[in-house]
């Protein structure tokens, strides 16, 4: 039997707009007759708006008329055109042009070095590669390991910047939630130790601008007096 969409909403409409028995409605909507009775009494699905099965292509007018004339008649649902539109479409594997496939190990190495928090499954889905290849690059067991160098996938043309940002952000959010659950807190503010603790030399503050200007002016006058004395 074809499974109908929105069975409770359909039952609400049939209760309100037809003379069908509770058993007929229950059989068509795959519900229990007591549940349909509860809908009629206003105890069940009181906030659900009715859905017309004829308008959405799940029931023909002839089927409804036949059922209303014969209480023992059981209606047969039609395959709804809306059900086809609502059916989830399985995404096909990401296609990578042949000319770009040799660049995938470089992109994998970039993820391993710069974003280890990104799961292998996410990397595989973004780059159109396999977990086995990722493991080979990580463990330096890839046949071309000597030539692999980390390059971001956007530069290589294997992904867009939006796709890369979405993957990295999702992985970062997941890591933050996992750290919070484990009680790991990231340090706030500057993480550098003061120079006094590290033993680094501390530079003495320079004289203020006014003292420096006064000293300079005094030196100029002193030099001028010396020149006058030399002339004498």
């Amino acid at each position: 039997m074809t499974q109908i969409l929105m069975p409770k909403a359909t039952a609400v409409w049939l209760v309100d707009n037809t003379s069908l028995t509770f058993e007929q409605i229950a059989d068509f909507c795959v519900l229990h007759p007591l549940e349909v009775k509860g809908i009629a009494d206003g105890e069940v699905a009181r906030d659900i708006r009715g859905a017309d099965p004829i308008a959405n292509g799940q029931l023909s007018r002839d089927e409804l008329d036949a059922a209303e004339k014969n209480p023992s008649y059981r209606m047969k649902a039609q395959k709804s055109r809306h059900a086809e539109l609502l059916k989830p479409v399985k995404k096909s594997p990401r296609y990578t042009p042949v000319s770009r496939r040799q660049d995938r190990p470089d992109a994998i190495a970039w993820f391993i070095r710069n974003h280890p928090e990104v799961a292998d499954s996410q990397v595989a889905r973004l780059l159109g590669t396999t977990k086995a290849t990722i493991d080979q690059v990580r463990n330096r067991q890839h046949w071309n390991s000597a030539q692999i160098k980390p390059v971001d996938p956007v530069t290589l043309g294997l992904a867009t910047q939006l796709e890369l940002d979405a993957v990295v952000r999702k992985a970062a959010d997941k890591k933050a939630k996992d750290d919070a659950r484990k009680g790991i807190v990231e340090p706030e503010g500057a993480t550098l130790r003061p120079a006094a603790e590290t033993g680094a030399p501390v530079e003495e503050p320079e004289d203020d601008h006014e003292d420096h200007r006064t000293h300079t002016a005094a030196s100029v006058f002193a030099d001028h007096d010396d020149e006058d004395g030399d002339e004498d």
Side-chain angles (χ1 to χ4, degrees), residues 9-19 25 39-40 48-50:
T10 301
V12 169
W13 188 91
L14 292 172
V15 167
D16 293 339
N17 297 277
T18 70
S19 59
I25 297 174
I39 292 174
I48 295 179
R49 183 178 180 180

Side-chain angles (χ1 to χ4, degrees), residues 15-223:
V15 167
D16 293 339
N17 297 277
T18 70
S19 59
L20 298 173
T21 65
F22 294 159
E23 288 75 13
Q24 286 176 303
I25 297 174
D27 182 79
F28 181 74
C29 298
V30 195
L31 299 172
H32 194 280
L34 292 178
E35 194 170 7
V36 177
K37 183 179 183 301
I39 292 174
D41 294 338
E43 298 174 356
V44 178
R46 64 179 61 184
D47 296 326
I48 295 179
R49 183 178 180 180
D52 184 352
I54 298 176
N56 60 30
Q58 297 185 99
L59 179 66
S60 68
R61 173 58 66 179
D62 292 338
E63 280 288 299
L64 179 58
D65 291 342
E68 287 185 313
K69 293 176 182 177
N70 182 5
S72 63
Y73 185 86
R74 295 295 179 260
M75 297 181 297
K76 297 178 180 61
Q78 298 182 127
K79 193 170 184 180
S80 173
R81 60 183 181 274
H82 300 286
E84 291 298 318
L85 296 175
L86 296 174
K87 185 183 297 183
V89 179
K90 184 177 180 181
K91 293 182 66 176
S92 59
R94 186 185 186 92
Y95 174 75
T96 303
V98 177
S99 60
R100 295 290 185 184
R101 291 177 187 175
Q102 71 272 13
D103 296 331
R104 285 186 292 199
D106 292 343
I108 293 171
W110 183 86
F111 270 108
I112 293 173
R113 188 183 72 174
N114 295 284
H115 292 286
E117 73 278 6
V118 178
D120 289 357
S121 58
Q122 291 176 296
V123 176
R125 188 160 49 249
L126 180 66
L127 303 180
T129 185
T130 64
K131 292 184 179 181
T133 303
I134 297 173
D135 288 336
Q136 291 172 358
V137 174
R138 178 182 290 113
N139 300 325
R140 300 193 64 79
Q141 295 175 346
H142 192 272
W143 66 271
N144 196 31
S145 292
Q147 303 299 325
I148 294 176
K149 56 185 183 301
V151 183
D152 75 271
V154 176
T155 300
L156 294 173
L158 297 173
T160 66
Q161 188 65 53
L162 291 176
E163 290 173 331
L164 178 60
D165 291 344
V167 168
V168 172
R169 181 169 57 251
K170 183 177 180 181
D173 292 342
K174 184 178 184 302
K175 182 178 183 300
K177 291 179 181 178
D178 292 342
D179 289 347
R181 187 164 53 250
K182 296 175 183 178
I184 300 175
V185 180
E186 293 291 335
E188 296 182 0
T191 57
L192 296 177
R193 295 170 58 192
E197 297 182 11
T198 60
V202 180
E203 296 183 0
E204 294 294 333
E206 297 181 357
D207 294 337
D208 58 34
H209 185 65
E210 184 177 356
D211 291 344
H212 179 70
R213 185 175 57 191
T214 304
H215 174 73
T216 303
S219 301
V220 170
F221 284 120
D223 294 341

